[in-house]
Amino acid sequence: SLEKKHLRDRERAMVEALRLEKERSEQLLLNILPRGIVTRMNSGETIIADQRSDVTILFSDLVGFTKLSSRLSAGDLVRLLNGLFSEFDRLALGLGIEKIKTLGDSYMVAGGLPEPRADHAHAVADMALAMIATVERMNSELPIALQMRIGIHSGDVVAGIIGTHKFVYDIWGDAVNIASRMESHSLPNRIQVSAATRQHIQEHFRLEPHGSVDVKGKGPMETYFLLGRTDVVLPNLWTTTRSGAPDAREGL
């Protein structure tokens, strides 16, 4: 009887260890992939590719970062980016926006993914305004003031998983290329949006014309600068990005 009890105890311990390991693996996946995508992978889907219409994409890039990086140690540089991007991650989570990826000092998010939402452009516009405010607030702690250039466009994309080892959830299509061009042709601390995005947000946000941008394969496209909201931002759209820090709406 004692031997049987010992075997049952070992079995229960092994089952519990397997459960904890499964939870850890699940959490790791959720740190890099949307929950809905993880669920589909766990159900056995091996190829995940979705056509998504009416998505809003944001690209951002830090202006002057190369100059700043030459004055910081490797550790300070990584701490700076980690602190800034962690604040962006919290904003994206609070607004229900999907972080797509970072590349160097660039940060990319999308609204309306992986599940559709009617206010995708509004959420991304709120995100962009909060990102600019966050950079300006953090400048008080830096030796050189940073500025951020942001571009936004709305359109259709293909979204899916690529890779088998270090897989990622990514998006492709003309809308992605146009959003990237909106960013590269923007100005420091300005948010440039396309006419397609303007159609979604013009009733609730202040915008000013910025002329046209020549997009490869598309020709000249009218663009606008996003200045701020014209209506009241609902409190549940915002999160405090650091303990004791001002609300993200401050400075917008």
Side-chain angles (χ1 to χ4, degrees), residues 20 34 41 51 58 70 109 134-135 138 200 211 215-216 219 252:
L20 292 174
M41 292 177 67
Q51 184 75 44
L58 177 152
S70 66
V109 298
T134 299
V135 171
M138 290 183 68
H200 286 286
V215 177
K216 185 177 181 180
L252 300 187

Side-chain angles (χ1 to χ4, degrees), residues 145-161:
L146 288 177
Q147 293 179 307
M148 175 156 278
R149 192 172 54 229
I150 295 178
I152 303 174
H153 175 65
S154 303
D156 301 341
V157 302
V158 173
I161 299 292

Side-chain angles (χ1 to χ4, degrees), residues 36 43 66 74 85 96 108 113 119 123 127 137 147 150 152 163 177 194-195 206 236 238 246:
S43 68
T66 301
F85 287 172
M108 177 186 178
L113 288 174
D119 64 341
M127 175 81 180
R137 188 175 65 247
Q147 293 179 307
I150 295 178
I152 303 174
N177 298 330
S194 66
R206 293 182 290 112
N236 63 355
W238 299 88

Side-chain angles (χ1 to χ4, degrees), residues 84 87 91 130-142 146 239-242 244-250:
L84 181 61
E87 300 247 353
L91 284 169
M131 289 170 72
I132 294 292
T134 299
V135 171
E136 291 178 342
R137 188 175 65 247
M138 290 183 68
N139 275 337
S140 61
E141 307 167 8
L142 302 177
L146 288 177
T239 57
T240 302
T241 56
R242 80 171 58 165
D247 187 277
R249 288 169 290 177
E250 291 188 14

Side-chain angles (χ1 to χ4, degrees), residues 85-125:
F85 287 172
S86 293
E87 300 247 353
F88 291 171
D89 289 349
R90 282 189 282 272
L91 284 169
L93 182 63
L95 289 162
I97 295 172
E98 189 63 35
K99 175 185 176 181
I100 302 300
K101 58 187 171 185
T102 62
L103 181 62
D105 60 321
S106 300
Y107 191 92
M108 177 186 178
V109 298
L113 288 174
E115 301 301 327
R117 57 182 292 183
D119 64 341
H120 55 89
H122 296 75
V124 172

Side-chain angles (χ1 to χ4, degrees), residues 28-242:
L28 285 173
L29 279 175
L30 290 173
N31 283 338
I32 59 175
L33 298 174
R35 182 176 294 276
I37 298 299
V38 172
T39 300
R40 291 168 63 181
M41 292 177 67
N42 288 338
S43 68
E45 284 192 57
T46 56
I47 298 178
I48 296 179
D50 302 311
Q51 184 75 44
R52 290 287 182 257
S53 60
D54 221 12
V55 171
T56 298
I57 307 110
L58 177 152
F59 277 91
S60 68
D61 188 65
L62 288 171
V63 181
F65 186 76
T66 301
K67 184 177 180 181
L68 176 62
S69 63
S70 66
R71 299 182 55 175
L72 297 176
S73 67
D76 288 340
L77 187 65
V78 171
R79 277 190 289 271
L80 168 62
L81 283 178
N82 181 63
L84 181 61
F85 287 172
S86 293
E87 300 247 353
F88 291 171
D89 289 349
R90 282 189 282 272
L91 284 169
L93 182 63
L95 289 162
I97 295 172
E98 189 63 35
K99 175 185 176 181
I100 302 300
K101 58 187 171 185
T102 62
L103 181 62
D105 60 321
S106 300
Y107 191 92
M108 177 186 178
V109 298
L113 288 174
E115 301 301 327
R117 57 182 292 183
D119 64 341
H120 55 89
H122 296 75
V124 172
D126 282 330
M127 175 81 180
L129 292 166
M131 289 170 72
I132 294 292
T134 299
V135 171
E136 291 178 342
R137 188 175 65 247
M138 290 183 68
N139 275 337
S140 61
E141 307 167 8
L142 302 177
I144 297 178
L146 288 177
Q147 293 179 307
M148 175 156 278
R149 192 172 54 229
I150 295 178
I152 303 174
H153 175 65
S154 303
D156 301 341
V157 302
V158 173
I161 299 292
I162 57 172
T164 55
H165 176 48
K166 294 183 178 181
F167 44 74
V168 296
Y169 181 70
D170 209 345
I171 57 177
W172 305 269
D174 281 346
V176 178
N177 298 330
I178 294 171
S180 178
R181 188 58 62 92
M182 291 297 109
E183 180 273 313
S184 62
H185 283 74
S186 187
L187 297 175
N189 277 4
R190 303 302 297 270
I191 304 163
Q192 183 167 242
V193 306
S194 66
T197 299
R198 173 180 176 267
Q199 289 297 318
H200 286 286
I201 67 174
Q202 59 184 336
E203 292 185 7
H204 302 286
F205 291 83
R206 293 182 290 112
L207 301 119
E208 68 177 19
H210 181 229
S212 64
V213 167
D214 188 21
V215 177
K216 185 177 181 180
K218 295 294 182 180
M221 298 184 68
E222 290 300 314
T223 65
Y224 304 81
F225 279 140
L226 173 63
L227 304 179
R229 266 190 173 266
T230 58
D231 55 359
V232 176
V233 181
L234 297 177
N236 63 355
L237 289 179
W238 299 88
T239 57
T240 302
T241 56
R242 80 171 58 165

